[in-house]
Amino acid sequence: KAAKPLDILILGGTGFTGPFQVAYALARGHKVTLFNRGKRPSPEWPGDVEQLHGDRNTGDLKALQGRKWDVCIDNPTSLPFWVRDAGKVLAGNVGQYLFISTISVYADGSKPGITEDAPLAAYKGKDAMAETRQTLMADVGNLYGPLKALSEAEARKQFGKRTTIVRPGYIVGPRDETDRFTYWPHRIAQGGEVLVPGDGQDPVQIIDGRDLGEWMIRLAENGTTGTFNACGPDYVLSTDAMVYGCHAVTGGPASFTHVPADFLEKHEAALPIWVARTHPEYGGYGAVSNARALAAGLTFRPLATTVA
């Protein structure tokens, strides 16, 4: 149990990482309140969870008015006006605000070792506060990173020194509804000749959603503020190490054939998670610095656990 029980508000809470936060928070003895639209069925929680409903798309936050919490964890926000509106209701009513951002906020992803102090992507639209879910989805490639960066700025504006910014890369593991990391254990389990991109030495960074969710609760318990790259693991994971690590769990008759990165790029072959370390725009995204997060207590499950 935590040394001090907290009253925690989670915006979202039923998506990918939210349920891991809820389960861990309850196990640690905290009280949990969720705020969301109520559109997604809630898991069967291992304890009492208060559920509040509203819609941040339309500014309906009435359920949060007149309430106080020790901590607010904001999971789903990609739009600055969501943070602004939350701030109007919650500023002064929460002790700490933890915002899940992304490493996509960085302006330059070409070089390894990106730290939290690197320049952020610039927004080039007319009015960031007028951007909606629809405009974001229509131009994700150009808007996602800059709008996340502006959402971070708005969080600091609304909540000041009580703000914690967490920037994950690829989040993987149970409840992952994408086919990004999942592609690899599934493909390797099928067996046969498996294409491995590049020379096998390109670095890969992933974080299990359980590790991310549970660390967020520990950050809240410790009152840790600041900005952190939540990328894993705590060693250099090469593409070869990833595929052989998958094979160690799945077993079966599989062989691996390396295909040069330039050939794959020429033919626009998209292999999830992997990016060539020589890529002129994204080569650094497999080697983002996580030193600050490790110092703040971020830990990782073994790769085999995530694969399984």
Side-chain angles (χ1 to χ4, degrees):
K1 297 294 182 178
K4 176 186 176 183
L6 298 173
D7 200 348
I8 301 175
L9 169 66
I10 300 178
L11 305 181
T14 58
F16 187 179
T17 59
F20 303 134
Q21 296 167 352
V22 174
Y24 191 69
L26 293 174
R28 297 283 288 162
H30 303 303
K31 181 181 177 182
V32 177
T33 300
L34 302 185
F35 175 84
N36 52 50
R37 293 182 299 165
K39 301 291 187 180
R40 186 192 297 260
S42 295
E44 188 170 330
W45 304 118
D48 292 331
V49 174
E50 182 184 16
Q51 175 69 69
L52 302 177
H53 289 150
D55 190 343
R56 299 172 75 184
N57 286 297
T58 62
D60 177 14
L61 283 76
K62 292 189 294 291
L64 300 178
Q65 293 176 351
R67 297 283 303 272
K68 289 183 179 292
W69 289 271
D70 296 310
V71 177
C72 173
I73 299 176
D74 191 345
N75 286 324
T77 294
S78 298
L79 298 166
F81 86 85
W82 279 21
V83 183
R84 178 199 63 195
D85 292 353
K88 290 179 179 178
V89 177
L90 296 175
N93 292 321
V94 294
Q96 183 180 3
Y97 179 82
L98 291 91
F99 180 75
I100 291 192
S101 187
T102 170
I103 59 171
S104 295
V105 297
Y106 293 114
D108 183 1
S110 65
K111 298 177 179 63
I114 300 170
T115 72
E116 291 85 352
D117 300 322
L120 303 185
Y123 173 71
K124 299 179 180 178
K126 294 181 179 179
D127 182 1
M129 288 297 176
E131 299 287 1
T132 64
R133 176 112 180 124
Q134 289 71 30
T135 61
L136 170 60
M137 297 309 296
D139 193 13
V140 172
N142 290 316
L143 289 179
Y144 179 65
L147 288 181
K148 273 286 195 180
L150 290 176
S151 296
E152 290 184 7
E154 187 65 23
R156 294 189 186 94
K157 177 181 177 181
Q158 296 292 337
F159 299 96
K161 294 180 179 180
R162 296 168 294 144
T163 305
T164 306
I165 305 293
V166 174
R167 296 171 178 164
Y170 286 116
I171 309 172
V172 304
R175 302 185 63 85
D176 180 6
E177 297 178 351
T178 73
D179 194 34
R180 299 182 303 185
F181 178 78
T182 313
Y183 166 85
W184 292 104
H186 178 66
R187 172 65 191 90
I188 292 166
Q190 291 177 316
E193 185 182 18
V194 180
L195 188 156
V196 179
D199 60 4
Q201 298 309 303
D202 293 313
V204 176
Q205 285 185 313
I206 56 174
I207 184 169
D208 192 298
R210 294 165 290 186
D211 292 327
L212 177 61
E214 293 172 9
W215 183 55
M216 295 285 290
I217 301 301
R218 295 198 299 275
L219 289 175
E221 291 175 356
N222 296 327
T224 305
T225 57
T227 304
F228 305 92
N229 291 330
C231 301
D234 50 1
Y235 58 90
V236 178
L237 176 66
S238 67
T239 310
D240 268 354
M242 178 183 70
V243 298
Y244 282 102
C246 290
H247 191 231
V249 176
T250 65
S255 63
F256 300 105
T257 299
H258 293 88
V259 177
D262 55 356
F263 179 88
L264 294 173
E265 290 168 3
K266 176 182 177 182
H267 292 277
E268 299 182 352
L271 286 152
I273 297 293
W274 168 79
V275 60
R277 60 189 182 276
T278 56
H279 195 284
E281 293 182 69
Y282 309 116
Y285 279 130
V288 174
S289 173
N290 60 8
R292 191 181 295 182
L294 295 179
L298 178 58
T299 58
F300 304 99
R301 284 164 170 76
L303 175 65
T305 303
T306 300
V307 172

